[in-house]
Amino acid sequence: MTLTLTAAEQVLADNFAPWVLDLGLTVESVGAPGSPGSPGSDDGHEAVLRLPWSDRLAREGGGLSGQALMAAADTATVIAVAAARGGFVPMTTVQQSISFQRAVTGADVLVRARLTKSGRRMAFADITMTADGTRETAAHATAVYALLG
């Protein structure tokens, strides 16, 4: 059972700290492997979130802060896991690693989280972040989650 876009937005609204919601993230798409409207991979469930540009999230020099990108990657992974499970389940981040490849200035960021493996107790994700309107990777992350429910 795939998560609808409306249900994914509700997972976002109901399960994150207020400061995460203050980032203004929105769910652009969710998809199961090979489903119509899927963000494009047959390898695993995916979620694409939009992190809107905000001067409040910029670091010195004008680029989007790494902290905002890390939080967006973490959040997108939760939505991808929810898509795989058909709804939110309790989970916690076990590991997250990120590489910043180019600065994002004055543009929204599309955050694509794809589950590479999801089992009964663990989920693994690959997250790619690109500035809206470009295909060039701004940041790449990996994450591991413990599934608690």
Side-chain angles (χ1 to χ4, degrees), residues 12-35:
L12 181 62
D14 292 346
N15 296 287
F16 291 91
W19 71 267
V20 175
L21 298 177
D22 288 347
L23 293 172
L25 291 161
T26 57
V27 181
E28 294 280 304
S29 63
V30 290
S35 67

Side-chain angles (χ1 to χ4, degrees), residues 1-138:
M1 172 175 147
T2 246
L3 201 64
T4 66
L5 197 55
T6 301
E9 283 285 356
Q10 197 62 53
V11 168
L12 181 62
D14 292 346
N15 296 287
F16 291 91
W19 71 267
V20 175
L21 298 177
D22 288 347
L23 293 172
L25 291 161
T26 57
V27 181
E28 294 280 304
S29 63
V30 290
S35 67
S38 173
S41 173
D42 290 338
D43 295 334
H45 286 79
E46 292 187 339
V48 178
L49 275 60
R50 178 179 296 272
L51 174 62
W53 172 260
S54 169
D55 289 335
R56 290 178 40 92
L57 300 178
R59 59 174 170 72
E60 65 27 78
L64 192 63
S65 72
Q67 294 91 337
L69 289 169
M70 258 328 234
D74 193 60
T75 305
T77 303
V78 171
I79 302 300
V81 171
R85 298 293 167 135
F88 180 79
V89 296
M91 64 187 93
T92 189
T93 309
V94 173
Q95 182 275 334
Q96 187 178 24
S97 178
I98 193 165
S99 297
F100 303 104
Q101 298 178 7
R102 65 181 32 85
V104 175
T105 56
D108 292 357
V109 175
L110 296 177
V111 183
R112 180 184 306 269
R114 182 179 60 85
L115 298 185
T116 58
K117 180 172 177 44
S118 183
R120 288 184 315 123
R121 293 287 183 203
M122 303 291 287
F124 300 81
D126 186 78
I127 307 101
T128 304
M129 291 156 269
T130 57
D132 192 20
T134 182
R135 292 178 147 204
E136 296 177 335
T137 301

